[in-house]
């Protein structure tokens, strides 16, 4: 197999960017550290790309043949540890972060938002390191904010 990164969305293969930018990776490392510290006391687990999140067509199915969507979010948090297996996460994580790349903004803002909403992800953040704007979607509200120092974010997650 080659080194091209892919996701499977509704049965269709989508190519991913080959390697994230340095700024993208800095944001990812900072967020991973922040969320790991925040969720440790809650008994949740934090994972970062590349790690598979598999969405079966039926919530009750655990068979690979029933999985038509496999994504690799930049960061995700799982509090129901029974969803974790050796392949990653089966079903909706509690929280997903996508750090957008300039050429994948539409996919993260529209396509993945709809996908995550369909499969019951409780909270979804879209972080743009170039514009320093983050968009937070949750089951209760939408927040759009500018940020300058990711370390200063006051985390109020619904997990």
């Amino acid at each position: 197999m080659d080194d091209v990164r892919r996701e499977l969305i509704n049965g269709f293969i989508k190519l991913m960017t080959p390697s994230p930018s340095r700024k993208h990776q800095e944001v990812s490392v900072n967020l991973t550290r922040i969320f790991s510290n925040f969720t440790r006391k809650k008994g949740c687990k934090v994972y970062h790309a590349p790690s598979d999140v598999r969405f079966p067509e039926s919530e009750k199915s655990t068979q690979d043949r029933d999985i038509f969507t496999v994504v690799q979010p930049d960061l995700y948090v799982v509090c129901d540890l029974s969803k974790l297996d050796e392949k990653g996460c089966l079903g909706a994580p509690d929280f997903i972060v996508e750090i957008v790349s300039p050429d994948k903004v539409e996919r993260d803002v529209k396509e993945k938002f709809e996908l995550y909403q369909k499969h019951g992800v409780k909270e979804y953040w879209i972080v743009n390191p170039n514009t320093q704007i983050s968009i937070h979607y949750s089951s209760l509200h939408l927040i759009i904010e500018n940020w300058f120092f990711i370390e200063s974010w006051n985390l109020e997650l619904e997990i």
Side-chain angles (χ1 to χ4, degrees), residues 81-148:
L81 303 184
S82 70
K83 292 182 178 182
L84 298 173
D85 61 19
E86 290 305 309
K87 295 178 184 177
C89 179
L90 179 62
D94 295 276
F95 175 68
I96 289 180
V97 175
E98 292 286 1
I99 303 165
V100 297
S101 303
D103 58 336
K104 302 291 186 214
V105 173
E106 185 175 336
R107 182 187 297 178
D108 289 335
V109 172
K110 184 179 182 333
E111 187 174 355
K112 285 194 175 177
F113 168 74
E114 291 171 356
L115 177 72
Y116 296 155
Q117 191 174 40
K118 171 186 171 185
H119 288 284
V121 174
K122 294 177 186 173
E123 190 153 352
Y124 174 43
W125 286 18
I126 302 167
V127 177
N128 189 326
N130 296 317
T131 62
Q132 293 189 329
I133 292 175
S134 63
I135 302 172
H136 312 179
Y137 295 96
S138 77
S139 54
L140 299 177
H141 59 278
L142 163 66
I143 300 169
I144 300 175
E145 63 185 11
N146 285 314
W147 48 272
F148 296 98

